[in-house]
Amino acid sequence: MTVERIFDELGHFKRFQACLYFAAVFQSISCGIHYLASVFLVETPNFVCNIPGNITDVLFGNLTGLTVDEVLPFFKTGSGPMVVRTTEGQQWELSRCQRALRLNPQDFTYLFSGNKTVEVCAGSFLYDHSEVQQSIVTDWDLVCEKEWLAKLCQPTFMFGVLIGALVFGDIADRVGRVRILMFTSLCQFVVGVCVALSGNYYVFMVLRFLLAMVSSGYLVVVFVYVTEFTGIRVRTWTSMHVHAAFAVGVMVVALMGYLVRVWWIYQIILSLCTSPFLLFCWKFPETPFYLIAKGRFQDAQALLDTIARVNGLECRLRAEDLLETAEQNGVPLLEQETGQQNENVEKKQSILDLFRTWRMAWRTLTVWSIWFIGSLGYYVFSLGSVNLGGNQYVNLFLAGAVELPSYLVGCYAMDRIGRKKTCAPALLLAGVACMLIIVVPGDIEPLAIVLSMTGKFAIAIAFGLIYLYSCELYPTVIRSLAVGSGSMMCRVGSVVAPFCVYLADVWTYLPQLIVGILAFIIGVLTLLLPETLGQPLTTTMEEAEALGRAPVKKSGLSAKGAEGDALEMKRAASEA
């Protein structure tokens, strides 16, 4: 008998679970919002050096105007300077990071062959406000020698996501899932508003780092939470559609970026989008898996009675009888497993448990590789799609929208052919798409776009299912830690992705080559993982290791072998 029997008796996805699920997923939208918000927070508009004096005439190529604002939207680096004349009669040639004063000009013309005095901008710039009215770049002049400060914004945020994924995943196994959900939700709102009120760049960066940690913490734990509250029949769909909520957050960012062009107003509105969640998240219950694994049978029984009442059913289950291995010799599951019943719980919940045996170590390394390439490929394909041309707001909106069909296809395939047989072909397809992009002639742009979208579609399937697959490959005692550490590797990929894209300066197709090779190799390794389709969630390390292992059937078994057979028979009986 296993905890999974709860769903057979009380419903896999009835009224109680549906209410919790849609509320938790609604808050997941905020994660997509904050992850992509920096796209417009640090947007750099066209700009040129400012000059002393009032400008009366402007020239740029064949364009003329009375003010810089009229010509600046058409200014492009590398196409020549912008020439201006002041009320004092001075003529200046303006570029992005320097300006040149013409000496003794005769006429006001674009071309000038005389002497000039060149100087570096003294921290004063003129910005094009036709698209971006106000960003942190325009407020704090993060251009030229300070440009690296603006570029540091997203890597720093992703580093915070990396730390948050590991920290909150571990803490959720210690103090419970629901406490972390409430804490991170409140912090997302409070810190998100504080980001908008930050008075200087360094305060902004610190607050964004903290926002990244709590956003990552929520995203990691919510996957575990919805997985432990839904049954096998719907677990694939409920897990994958958390990603759909993240994609909705990306589309919200694009919409708000188009409607609001002042960064601090934009940040406040984005932080308020999911604030209604704070009104009822404190009513969220702890998951039955966690309560039973912790030996809190009285709380678990009260939860089962509540689920049955809300779902309109009669509860005939007793929490103490749900899982025979939940308590051995009177010791709760999360507080034993080493033979020393009084040993500290925290020692049992370290990252070393993911490498306890060779079998688990190999599984962990493969799963981490899938997390890494999923994130790396996702961002490489996304950054490449931005360069397709057109309206940047529409491009970002479509970048989120294109993920939705990939999750639908992924869900259908996962429930029909299995997790492994969906993940591996998706990675292989992404690898092949990258290779084909390299060999496509440069003048056939539509085909290159189709291949790029195919690659992103495939990598999104693998990236989406790995959350659920990780939950199913590891037992309750380290499930949040496993997902958290995997998400940490995912963030390593997202931090590496911008540097991978910079390699295009060496060779145009080098980023696709790297992603293609890694995706193909990891796709092959994925075929060696055990299949979890239709399997109940494991609770002990022994059950997790037994996944994919055929029961041993031969005489003369040792006591240890007989014990392993008994475990397999018990699992088989529970599934029947």
Coordinates of all heavy atoms in Angstrom, one line a residue, residues 191-269:
V191 N 9.9 42.7 -2.6 CA 11.2 43.0 -3.2 C 11.0 43.5 -4.6 O 11.7 44.5 -5.0 CB 12.2 41.8 -3.2 CG1 13.5 42.1 -3.9 CG2 12.4 41.2 -1.8
G192 N 10.0 43.0 -5.3 CA 9.7 43.5 -6.7 C 9.4 45.0 -6.7 O 9.8 45.8 -7.5
V193 N 8.6 45.4 -5.7 CA 8.2 46.8 -5.6 C 9.4 47.7 -5.1 O 9.7 48.8 -5.6 CB 7.1 47.0 -4.6 CG1 6.8 48.5 -4.3 CG2 5.8 46.4 -5.1
C194 N 10.2 47.1 -4.2 CA 11.5 47.8 -3.8 C 12.4 48.0 -4.9 O 13.1 49.1 -4.9 CB 12.1 47.0 -2.7 SG 11.2 47.0 -1.1
V195 N 12.5 47.1 -5.9 CA 13.4 47.3 -7.1 C 13.0 48.5 -7.8 O 13.9 49.3 -8.2 CB 13.3 46.0 -8.0 CG1 13.9 46.4 -9.3 CG2 13.9 44.8 -7.4
A196 N 11.7 48.8 -7.9 CA 11.2 50.0 -8.6 C 11.6 51.3 -7.9 O 11.7 52.3 -8.5 CB 9.7 49.9 -8.8
L197 N 11.8 51.2 -6.6 CA 12.1 52.3 -5.8 C 13.5 52.5 -5.5 O 13.9 53.5 -4.8 CB 11.3 52.3 -4.4 CG 9.8 52.1 -4.6 CD1 9.1 52.0 -3.2 CD2 9.2 53.2 -5.3
S198 N 14.4 51.6 -6.0 CA 15.8 51.7 -5.8 C 16.4 53.0 -6.4 O 16.1 53.4 -7.5 CB 16.5 50.5 -6.4 OG 16.2 50.4 -7.7
G199 N 17.2 53.7 -5.6 CA 17.7 55.0 -6.0 C 19.0 55.0 -6.8 O 19.3 56.0 -7.4
N200 N 19.7 53.9 -6.8 CA 20.9 53.9 -7.6 C 21.2 52.4 -8.1 O 20.5 51.5 -7.7 CB 22.1 54.3 -6.7 CG 22.4 53.5 -5.5 OD1 22.7 52.3 -5.6 ND2 22.1 54.0 -4.3
Y201 N 22.2 52.3 -8.9 CA 22.4 51.1 -9.6 C 22.8 49.9 -8.7 O 22.3 48.8 -8.8 CB 23.6 51.3 -10.6 CG 24.1 50.0 -11.2 CD1 23.4 49.4 -12.3 CD2 25.2 49.4 -10.7 CE1 23.9 48.2 -12.9 CE2 25.7 48.2 -11.3 CZ 25.0 47.6 -12.4 OH 25.5 46.4 -12.9
Y202 N 23.6 50.2 -7.6 CA 24.0 49.1 -6.8 C 22.9 48.6 -5.9 O 22.8 47.4 -5.7 CB 25.2 49.6 -5.9 CG 26.4 50.0 -6.8 CD1 26.6 51.4 -7.1 CD2 27.2 49.1 -7.4 CE1 27.7 51.7 -7.9 CE2 28.2 49.4 -8.2 CZ 28.5 50.8 -8.5 OH 29.5 51.1 -9.3
V203 N 22.0 49.4 -5.4 CA 20.9 49.0 -4.7 C 20.0 48.2 -5.6 O 19.4 47.1 -5.2 CB 20.1 50.2 -4.1 CG1 18.8 49.7 -3.4 CG2 21.0 50.9 -3.0
F204 N 19.8 48.6 -6.8 CA 19.0 47.9 -7.8 C 19.5 46.5 -8.0 O 18.8 45.5 -8.0 CB 19.0 48.7 -9.1 CG 18.4 48.0 -10.3 CD1 17.0 48.2 -10.5 CD2 19.2 47.3 -11.2 CE1 16.4 47.5 -11.6 CE2 18.6 46.6 -12.3 CZ 17.2 46.8 -12.5
M205 N 20.8 46.3 -8.1 CA 21.4 45.0 -8.4 C 21.3 44.1 -7.2 O 21.0 42.9 -7.4 CB 22.9 45.2 -8.7 CG 23.2 45.8 -10.1 SD 22.6 44.8 -11.5 CE 23.9 43.6 -11.5
V206 N 21.4 44.6 -6.0 CA 21.3 43.8 -4.8 C 19.8 43.3 -4.7 O 19.5 42.1 -4.4 CB 21.7 44.6 -3.5 CG1 21.3 43.8 -2.3 CG2 23.2 44.8 -3.5
L207 N 18.9 44.2 -4.9 CA 17.5 43.9 -4.8 C 17.1 42.9 -5.9 O 16.3 41.9 -5.6 CB 16.6 45.1 -4.9 CG 16.7 46.0 -3.7 CD1 15.9 47.3 -3.9 CD2 16.2 45.3 -2.4
R208 N 17.6 43.1 -7.1 CA 17.3 42.1 -8.2 C 17.9 40.7 -7.9 O 17.3 39.7 -8.2 CB 17.9 42.7 -9.5 CG 17.1 43.7 -10.1 CD 16.0 43.2 -11.0 NE 16.5 42.5 -12.1 CZ 15.7 41.8 -13.0 NH1 14.4 41.7 -12.8 NH2 16.2 41.1 -14.0
F209 N 19.0 40.7 -7.2 CA 19.6 39.4 -6.9 C 18.7 38.7 -5.9 O 18.5 37.5 -6.0 CB 21.0 39.6 -6.2 CG 21.7 38.4 -5.8 CD1 22.4 37.7 -6.8 CD2 21.7 37.9 -4.5 CE1 23.1 36.5 -6.4 CE2 22.3 36.8 -4.2 CZ 23.0 36.0 -5.1
L210 N 18.2 39.4 -4.9 CA 17.3 38.8 -3.9 C 16.0 38.4 -4.6 O 15.4 37.3 -4.2 CB 17.0 39.8 -2.8 CG 18.2 40.2 -1.9 CD1 17.8 41.3 -0.9 CD2 18.8 39.0 -1.2
L211 N 15.5 39.2 -5.5 CA 14.3 38.8 -6.2 C 14.5 37.6 -7.0 O 13.6 36.7 -7.1 CB 13.9 40.0 -7.1 CG 12.6 39.8 -8.0 CD1 11.4 39.6 -7.1 CD2 12.4 41.0 -8.9
A212 N 15.7 37.4 -7.6 CA 16.0 36.2 -8.4 C 16.0 35.0 -7.5 O 15.5 33.9 -7.8 CB 17.4 36.4 -9.0
M213 N 16.5 35.1 -6.3 CA 16.5 34.0 -5.3 C 15.1 33.5 -5.0 O 14.8 32.3 -5.0 CB 17.3 34.3 -4.1 CG 18.8 34.5 -4.3 SD 19.7 34.7 -2.7 CE 19.3 33.2 -1.8
V214 N 14.3 34.4 -4.6 CA 12.9 34.0 -4.2 C 12.1 33.5 -5.3 O 11.2 32.6 -5.2 CB 12.2 35.1 -3.4 CG1 13.0 35.4 -2.1 CG2 12.1 36.4 -4.2
S215 N 12.3 34.1 -6.5 CA 11.5 33.7 -7.7 C 11.9 32.3 -8.1 O 11.1 31.4 -8.4 CB 11.8 34.6 -8.9 OG 11.3 35.9 -8.6
S216 N 13.2 32.0 -8.0 CA 13.7 30.7 -8.3 C 13.2 29.7 -7.2 O 12.8 28.5 -7.6 CB 15.2 30.7 -8.3 OG 15.7 29.4 -8.5
G217 N 13.2 30.1 -6.0 CA 12.7 29.2 -4.9 C 11.3 28.8 -5.1 O 10.9 27.7 -4.9
Y218 N 10.5 29.8 -5.5 CA 9.0 29.4 -5.7 C 8.9 28.5 -6.9 O 8.2 27.5 -6.8 CB 8.2 30.7 -6.0 CG 6.7 30.4 -6.1 CD1 5.9 30.4 -5.0 CD2 6.2 30.0 -7.3 CE1 4.6 30.1 -5.1 CE2 4.8 29.7 -7.4 CZ 4.0 29.7 -6.3 OH 2.7 29.4 -6.4
L219 N 9.6 28.7 -8.0 CA 9.5 27.9 -9.2 C 9.9 26.5 -8.9 O 9.3 25.5 -9.4 CB 10.3 28.5 -10.3 CG 10.0 28.0 -11.7 CD1 8.5 28.2 -12.1 CD2 10.9 28.6 -12.7
V220 N 10.9 26.3 -8.1 CA 11.4 25.0 -7.8 C 10.4 24.2 -6.9 O 10.0 23.1 -7.2 CB 12.8 25.0 -7.1 CG1 13.1 23.7 -6.5 CG2 13.9 25.5 -8.0
V221 N 10.0 24.9 -5.9 CA 9.1 24.2 -4.9 C 7.7 24.0 -5.5 O 7.1 23.0 -5.1 CB 9.1 25.0 -3.6 CG1 8.2 24.3 -2.6 CG2 10.5 25.1 -3.0
V222 N 7.2 24.9 -6.3 CA 5.8 24.7 -6.8 C 5.7 23.4 -7.7 O 4.7 22.8 -7.7 CB 5.4 25.9 -7.6 CG1 6.0 26.0 -9.0 CG2 3.9 25.9 -7.7
F223 N 6.8 23.0 -8.4 CA 6.7 21.8 -9.1 C 6.6 20.6 -8.2 O 5.8 19.7 -8.5 CB 8.0 21.7 -10.0 CG 7.9 22.4 -11.3 CD1 8.5 23.7 -11.4 CD2 7.3 21.9 -12.4 CE1 8.4 24.3 -12.6 CE2 7.2 22.5 -13.6 CZ 7.8 23.8 -13.7
V224 N 7.3 20.6 -7.1 CA 7.2 19.5 -6.2 C 5.8 19.5 -5.5 O 5.2 18.5 -5.4 CB 8.3 19.6 -5.1 CG1 8.1 18.5 -4.1 CG2 9.7 19.6 -5.7
Y225 N 5.3 20.7 -5.2 CA 4.0 20.8 -4.6 C 2.9 20.3 -5.4 O 2.1 19.5 -4.9 CB 3.8 22.3 -4.2 CG 2.6 22.6 -3.4 CD1 2.6 22.3 -2.0 CD2 1.4 23.0 -3.9 CE1 1.5 22.6 -1.2 CE2 0.3 23.2 -3.1 CZ 0.4 23.0 -1.7 OH -0.7 23.2 -0.9
V226 N 2.8 20.7 -6.7 CA 1.7 20.2 -7.5 C 1.9 18.7 -7.9 O 0.9 18.0 -8.1 CB 1.6 21.1 -8.8 CG1 1.3 22.5 -8.4 CG2 2.8 21.0 -9.7
T227 N 3.1 18.3 -7.9 CA 3.3 16.9 -8.2 C 2.9 16.0 -7.1 O 2.3 14.9 -7.3 CB 4.8 16.6 -8.4 OG1 5.3 17.4 -9.6 CG2 5.1 15.1 -8.7
E228 N 3.0 16.4 -5.8 CA 2.6 15.7 -4.7 C 1.2 15.8 -4.3 O 0.7 15.2 -3.4 CB 3.5 16.0 -3.5 CG 5.0 15.6 -3.7 CD 5.9 15.9 -2.5 OE1 5.4 16.6 -1.5 OE2 7.0 15.5 -2.4
F229 N 0.4 16.6 -5.1 CA -1.0 16.8 -4.8 C -1.9 16.3 -5.9 O -3.1 16.4 -5.9 CB -1.3 18.3 -4.6 CG -1.6 18.6 -3.1 CD1 -0.8 19.5 -2.4 CD2 -2.7 18.0 -2.4 CE1 -1.0 19.8 -1.1 CE2 -2.9 18.3 -1.1 CZ -2.1 19.2 -0.4
T230 N -1.2 15.8 -7.0 CA -2.0 15.2 -8.1 C -1.6 13.8 -8.4 O -0.5 13.4 -8.2 CB -1.8 16.1 -9.4 OG1 -0.4 16.2 -9.6 CG2 -2.4 17.5 -9.2
G231 N -2.6 13.0 -8.9 CA -2.3 11.6 -9.1 C -1.6 11.3 -10.4 O -1.4 12.2 -11.3
I232 N -1.3 10.1 -10.6 CA -0.5 9.6 -11.8 C -1.2 10.0 -13.1 O -0.6 10.4 -14.1 CB -0.2 8.1 -11.7 CG1 0.8 7.8 -10.6 CG2 0.4 7.6 -13.0 CD1 1.0 6.3 -10.4
R233 N -2.5 9.9 -13.1 CA -3.3 10.0 -14.4 C -3.2 11.4 -14.9 O -3.3 11.6 -16.1 CB -4.8 9.7 -14.1 CG -5.0 8.3 -13.7 CD -6.5 8.0 -13.4 NE -6.7 6.7 -12.9 CZ -7.9 6.3 -12.4 NH1 -8.9 7.2 -12.4 NH2 -8.1 5.1 -12.0
V234 N -2.9 12.4 -14.1 CA -2.9 13.8 -14.6 C -1.6 14.5 -14.3 O -1.4 15.7 -14.6 CB -4.0 14.7 -14.0 CG1 -5.4 14.1 -14.4 CG2 -3.9 14.7 -12.4
R235 N -0.6 13.8 -13.7 CA 0.6 14.4 -13.2 C 1.4 15.0 -14.3 O 2.0 16.1 -14.2 CB 1.4 13.4 -12.4 CG 2.6 14.0 -11.6 CD 3.2 13.0 -10.7 NE 2.2 12.8 -9.6 CZ 2.1 11.6 -8.9 NH1 2.9 10.6 -9.3 NH2 1.3 11.5 -7.9
T236 N 1.4 14.4 -15.5 CA 2.1 14.9 -16.6 C 1.6 16.2 -17.0 O 2.4 17.2 -17.2 CB 2.0 13.9 -17.8 OG1 2.6 12.6 -17.4 CG2 2.8 14.4 -19.0
W237 N 0.3 16.3 -17.2 CA -0.3 17.6 -17.6 C -0.2 18.7 -16.6 O 0.2 19.8 -16.9 CB -1.8 17.4 -18.0 CG -2.0 16.5 -19.2 CD1 -2.0 15.2 -19.2 CD2 -2.1 17.0 -20.5 NE1 -2.1 14.7 -20.5 CE2 -2.2 15.8 -21.4 CE3 -2.2 18.2 -21.1 CZ2 -2.4 15.9 -22.7 CZ3 -2.4 18.3 -22.5 CH2 -2.5 17.2 -23.3
T238 N -0.4 18.4 -15.3 CA -0.3 19.4 -14.3 C 1.1 19.9 -14.2 O 1.4 21.1 -14.0 CB -0.8 18.9 -13.0 OG1 0.0 17.7 -12.6 CG2 -2.3 18.6 -13.0
S239 N 2.1 19.1 -14.3 CA 3.5 19.5 -14.2 C 4.0 20.3 -15.4 O 4.5 21.4 -15.2 CB 4.4 18.3 -14.1 OG 5.8 18.6 -14.0
M240 N 3.6 19.9 -16.6 CA 4.1 20.6 -17.8 C 3.4 22.0 -17.9 O 4.0 22.9 -18.4 CB 3.7 19.8 -19.0 CG 4.6 18.5 -19.2 SD 6.3 19.0 -19.7 CE 6.0 19.2 -21.5
H241 N 2.2 22.1 -17.4 CA 1.5 23.4 -17.6 C 1.9 24.4 -16.6 O 1.4 25.6 -16.7 CB 0.0 23.1 -17.6 CG -0.5 22.6 -18.9 ND1 -0.4 21.2 -19.2 CD2 -1.0 23.2 -20.0 CE1 -0.9 21.0 -20.4 NE2 -1.3 22.2 -21.0
V242 N 2.7 24.1 -15.6 CA 3.4 25.1 -14.8 C 4.3 25.9 -15.7 O 4.4 27.1 -15.6 CB 4.2 24.5 -13.7 CG1 4.9 25.6 -12.9 CG2 3.2 23.8 -12.7
H243 N 4.9 25.2 -16.7 CA 5.8 25.9 -17.7 C 4.9 26.8 -18.6 O 5.4 27.9 -19.0 CB 6.5 24.9 -18.6 CG 7.5 24.1 -17.9 ND1 8.8 24.7 -17.6 CD2 7.6 22.9 -17.4 CE1 9.5 23.8 -17.0 NE2 8.8 22.7 -16.8
A244 N 3.7 26.4 -18.9 CA 2.8 27.3 -19.7 C 2.5 28.6 -18.9 O 2.5 29.6 -19.5 CB 1.5 26.5 -20.0
A245 N 2.4 28.5 -17.6 CA 2.2 29.7 -16.8 C 3.4 30.6 -16.9 O 3.3 31.8 -17.0 CB 1.9 29.4 -15.4
F246 N 4.6 30.0 -16.9 CA 5.8 30.8 -17.0 C 5.9 31.5 -18.4 O 6.2 32.7 -18.5 CB 7.0 29.8 -16.9 CG 8.4 30.5 -16.9 CD1 9.0 30.8 -15.7 CD2 9.0 30.8 -18.1 CE1 10.2 31.5 -15.7 CE2 10.3 31.5 -18.0 CZ 10.9 31.8 -16.8
A247 N 5.4 30.8 -19.4 CA 5.4 31.4 -20.8 C 4.4 32.5 -20.8 O 4.6 33.5 -21.5 CB 5.0 30.3 -21.8
V248 N 3.3 32.4 -20.1 CA 2.3 33.5 -20.0 C 3.0 34.7 -19.3 O 2.7 35.9 -19.8 CB 1.1 33.1 -19.2 CG1 0.2 34.3 -18.9 CG2 0.3 32.0 -19.9
G249 N 3.8 34.5 -18.3 CA 4.6 35.6 -17.7 C 5.5 36.3 -18.7 O 5.6 37.5 -18.7
V250 N 6.1 35.5 -19.6 CA 6.9 36.1 -20.7 C 6.0 37.0 -21.6 O 6.4 38.1 -21.9 CB 7.6 35.0 -21.5 CG1 8.4 35.7 -22.7 CG2 8.5 34.2 -20.6
M251 N 4.8 36.6 -21.9 CA 4.0 37.4 -22.8 C 3.5 38.6 -22.0 O 3.3 39.7 -22.7 CB 2.8 36.5 -23.2 CG 3.2 35.4 -24.2 SD 1.8 34.5 -24.9 CE 1.4 33.4 -23.5
V252 N 3.3 38.5 -20.7 CA 2.9 39.7 -19.9 C 4.0 40.7 -19.9 O 3.7 41.9 -20.1 CB 2.5 39.3 -18.5 CG1 2.4 40.5 -17.6 CG2 1.3 38.4 -18.4
V253 N 5.2 40.3 -19.9 CA 6.3 41.2 -19.9 C 6.3 42.0 -21.3 O 6.5 43.2 -21.3 CB 7.7 40.5 -19.8 CG1 8.9 41.4 -20.1 CG2 7.8 39.9 -18.3
A254 N 6.1 41.2 -22.3 CA 6.1 41.9 -23.7 C 4.9 42.9 -23.7 O 5.1 44.0 -24.3 CB 5.9 40.8 -24.8
L255 N 3.8 42.5 -23.2 CA 2.6 43.4 -23.3 C 2.9 44.7 -22.4 O 2.6 45.8 -22.9 CB 1.4 42.7 -22.8 CG 0.1 43.5 -22.8 CD1 -0.3 44.0 -24.2 CD2 -1.1 42.7 -22.1
M256 N 3.4 44.5 -21.2 CA 3.6 45.7 -20.3 C 4.8 46.5 -20.9 O 4.7 47.7 -20.8 CB 4.0 45.2 -18.9 CG 2.8 44.6 -18.1 SD 1.5 45.9 -17.8 CE 0.3 45.3 -19.0
G257 N 5.8 45.9 -21.5 CA 6.9 46.6 -22.1 C 6.4 47.5 -23.2 O 6.9 48.6 -23.4
Y258 N 5.4 47.0 -24.0 CA 4.8 47.8 -25.0 C 3.9 49.0 -24.5 O 4.0 50.1 -25.0 CB 4.0 46.9 -26.0 CG 3.3 47.7 -27.0 CD1 3.9 48.2 -28.2 CD2 1.9 47.9 -27.0 CE1 3.3 48.8 -29.2 CE2 1.2 48.6 -28.0 CZ 1.9 49.1 -29.1 OH 1.2 49.8 -30.0
L259 N 3.2 48.7 -23.4 CA 2.2 49.7 -22.9 C 2.9 50.7 -22.0 O 2.5 51.9 -21.9 CB 1.1 49.0 -22.2 CG 0.2 48.1 -23.0 CD1 -0.8 47.4 -22.1 CD2 -0.5 48.9 -24.1
V260 N 3.9 50.3 -21.3 CA 4.6 51.2 -20.3 C 6.1 51.3 -20.6 O 6.8 50.3 -20.6 CB 4.4 50.6 -18.8 CG1 5.0 51.6 -17.8 CG2 3.0 50.3 -18.5
R261 N 6.5 52.6 -20.9 CA 7.9 52.8 -21.3 C 8.8 53.4 -20.2 O 9.9 53.8 -20.5 CB 7.9 53.6 -22.6 CG 7.0 53.1 -23.7 CD 7.4 51.8 -24.2 NE 6.5 51.2 -25.2 CZ 6.6 51.5 -26.5 NH1 7.6 52.2 -27.0 NH2 5.8 50.9 -27.4
V262 N 8.2 53.5 -19.0 CA 9.0 54.1 -17.9 C 9.3 52.9 -17.0 O 8.4 52.2 -16.4 CB 8.3 55.2 -17.1 CG1 9.1 55.7 -15.9 CG2 7.9 56.3 -18.1
W263 N 10.6 52.6 -16.7 CA 11.0 51.3 -16.1 C 10.5 51.1 -14.7 O 10.1 50.0 -14.4 CB 12.5 51.2 -16.1 CG 13.3 52.0 -15.1 CD1 13.7 53.3 -15.3 CD2 13.6 51.7 -13.8 NE1 14.3 53.8 -14.1 CE2 14.3 52.8 -13.2 CE3 13.4 50.5 -13.0 CZ2 14.7 52.7 -11.9 CZ3 13.8 50.5 -11.7 CH2 14.5 51.6 -11.1
W264 N 10.4 52.1 -13.9 CA 10.0 51.9 -12.5 C 8.5 51.7 -12.4 O 8.0 50.9 -11.6 CB 10.5 53.1 -11.6 CG 10.0 54.4 -12.0 CD1 10.5 55.3 -12.8 CD2 8.8 55.0 -11.4 NE1 9.7 56.5 -12.9 CE2 8.7 56.3 -12.0 CE3 7.8 54.6 -10.6 CZ2 7.6 57.2 -11.8 CZ3 6.7 55.5 -10.3 CH2 6.7 56.8 -10.9
I265 N 7.7 52.4 -13.3 CA 6.3 52.1 -13.3 C 6.0 50.7 -13.9 O 5.2 49.9 -13.4 CB 5.5 53.2 -14.2 CG1 5.8 54.6 -13.6 CG2 4.1 52.8 -14.3 CD1 5.1 55.7 -14.5
Y266 N 6.8 50.4 -14.9 CA 6.7 49.0 -15.5 C 7.0 47.9 -14.5 O 6.3 46.9 -14.4 CB 7.7 49.0 -16.7 CG 8.2 47.7 -17.1 CD1 7.5 46.9 -18.1 CD2 9.5 47.2 -16.7 CE1 8.0 45.7 -18.6 CE2 10.0 46.0 -17.2 CZ 9.3 45.3 -18.1 OH 9.8 44.1 -18.6
Q267 N 8.0 48.1 -13.6 CA 8.4 47.2 -12.6 C 7.3 47.0 -11.5 O 7.0 45.9 -11.1 CB 9.7 47.6 -12.0 CG 10.2 46.7 -10.8 CD 10.5 45.3 -11.2 OE1 10.9 45.0 -12.3 NE2 10.3 44.4 -10.3
I268 N 6.7 48.2 -11.1 CA 5.7 48.1 -10.1 C 4.4 47.3 -10.6 O 3.9 46.5 -9.9 CB 5.3 49.5 -9.7 CG1 6.4 50.2 -8.8 CG2 4.0 49.5 -8.9 CD1 6.1 51.6 -8.4
I269 N 4.1 47.6 -11.9 CA 2.9 46.9 -12.4 C 3.2 45.4 -12.5 O 2.3 44.6 -12.2 CB 2.6 47.5 -13.8 CG1 2.1 49.0 -13.7 CG2 1.5 46.7 -14.5 CD1 1.8 49.7 -15.0

